[in-house]
Every structure is written in C-alpha cells, then in structure tokens.
Amino acid sequence: LGLTKVRLTGGEPLVKRGIVELVRLLQPIEGLKHLAMTTNGTLLDRYARPLREAGLDSLNISLDTLDGDRYRSLTRGGDITAVLSGIEAARAAGFPIKINMVVLADTAAGEIRGMQEFCAARGLTLQRINHFDLTRGKQEDYRFERPPRCETCNKIRLLADGHLKPCLHSA
C-alpha cells in the first residue's frame, strides 16, 4: 500500500508481551524502509539491545523535563532515573534517538534550554511538541517541531481497535 515507515506507539509499547518478536516480524516486510518506536523509556534498559538486534531502526523517547520531582508529578509517580538509564542503554545499542518534550503552559524557558543542552551533549535530537487538547481544535503554533502543519502531514494511525485515523483531531 506504499507504506515505507512504521512507528510502534502506545500506551507504552514496551509493556506489550512479545514486543521484540513483533519487531522481528515487522522488520522484513517488503517495502518497509524504517521501523521506529515511541516509548517512555522506562523499560529500555532491558529492551534496547534486543530491539536493536531484532531490527528496530530508531527511537523517540518521551521526556518532558529533567527535574525528578516535576517528572514524578507529571507521570503520577514515575522515576526519571529509569528513563535516563534507558536513554543510555539505547545510545549504547546504537540507536538514533529523538527526545519528545511536550511543552506545557507552565514549562519554563530554562527547562527547555536545559533539555536542549542535555540532548546536544549526548547527540540526541530534541523535538519540542506543542501540548494540545484533543477536545479542542488543533492549535497552529509553529514555534514547535511537532505536530506538523496539517497541509504537510502524511501520517495515518492504525488504532488498537483496528480503525484507521488520519489525524488525532479527526472524527
């Protein structure tokens, strides 16, 4: 059907039983040029190397702050050290990595600068994502790398219930 790139997302894809085998099954599909995953990174310490060996090409890791207390608050109890360990495991496995940072209304400019420095020091790409509410229309604010402009977007999502959705804002 002309698909050349597949991204596994979630929820959290690393909690799916058999995720490494799923990557191994998807990787050899004819015409597929890139197999990626978006993860919160908390389980990457365990899965980075097996995923790379199974054929996963790249990772996007969601990390909105480097402040442990703020991270715990945003994730309702998460431990940032697990994510940081996961990032290092993914780097050691040789993955190209993008850090997805959702910029919230209360995100300070210093937090963004800190994340930029963190990424630059480790050879990671930072993607600032405009926080949006699915109950409202898409906010077209292009100070961010994501989401893309509607007229340039070519994504389609296969939902867990089997439905295809061209945009998170569409019915």
Side-chain angles (χ1 to χ4, degrees):
L1 297 175
L3 294 176
T4 59
K5 181 177 181 177
V6 170
R7 174 172 304 281
L8 302 170
T9 65
E12 173 50 48
L14 294 181
V15 299
K16 180 185 181 355
R17 186 177 309 125
I19 189 65
V20 174
E21 185 57 26
L22 176 60
V23 168
R24 197 177 326 282
L25 291 169
L26 291 171
Q27 197 280 331
I29 292 175
E30 187 176 335
L32 187 62
K33 295 178 182 170
H34 193 89
L35 181 57
M37 179 182 290
T38 298
T39 173
N40 66 24
T42 58
L43 298 174
L44 273 176
D45 206 12
R46 179 182 339 155
Y47 286 108
R49 187 151 313 279
L51 286 168
R52 190 68 166 155
E53 291 168 357
L56 191 69
D57 295 309
S58 67
L59 287 166
N60 284 28
I61 301 171
S62 302
L63 182 61
D64 300 335
T65 183
L66 292 170
D67 178 278
D69 291 334
R70 181 163 163 80
Y71 180 85
R72 191 171 14 272
S73 173
L74 290 172
T75 59
R76 295 180 207 72
D79 179 8
I80 196 170
T81 60
V83 181
L84 298 176
S85 293
I87 290 170
E88 291 310 311
R91 288 179 66 217
F95 278 108
I97 301 168
K98 291 182 182 176
I99 300 296
N100 289 347
M101 178 188 194
V102 175
V103 179
L104 303 165
D106 65 346
T107 300
E111 262 189 290
I112 296 171
R113 275 192 308 279
M115 190 68 80
Q116 289 168 326
E117 291 166 5
F118 172 84
C119 290
R122 290 162 182 77
L124 312 175
T125 300
L126 177 63
Q127 291 191 122
R128 295 166 303 154
I129 300 172
N130 186 12
H131 179 254
F132 61 93
D133 180 345
L134 291 176
T135 63
R136 294 190 342 243
K138 182 177 175 187
Q139 303 298 303
E140 302 286 344
D141 186 343
Y142 296 109
R143 295 172 294 155
F144 303 95
E145 288 78 29
R146 293 277 181 258
R149 292 178 183 266
C150 291
E151 64 270 13
T152 65
C153 185
N154 65 354
K155 297 176 192 236
I156 191 162
R157 291 149 182 91
L158 174 61
L159 304 180
D161 62 7
H163 287 93
L164 292 175
K165 192 166 186 166
C167 179
L168 292 175
H169 290 281
S170 71

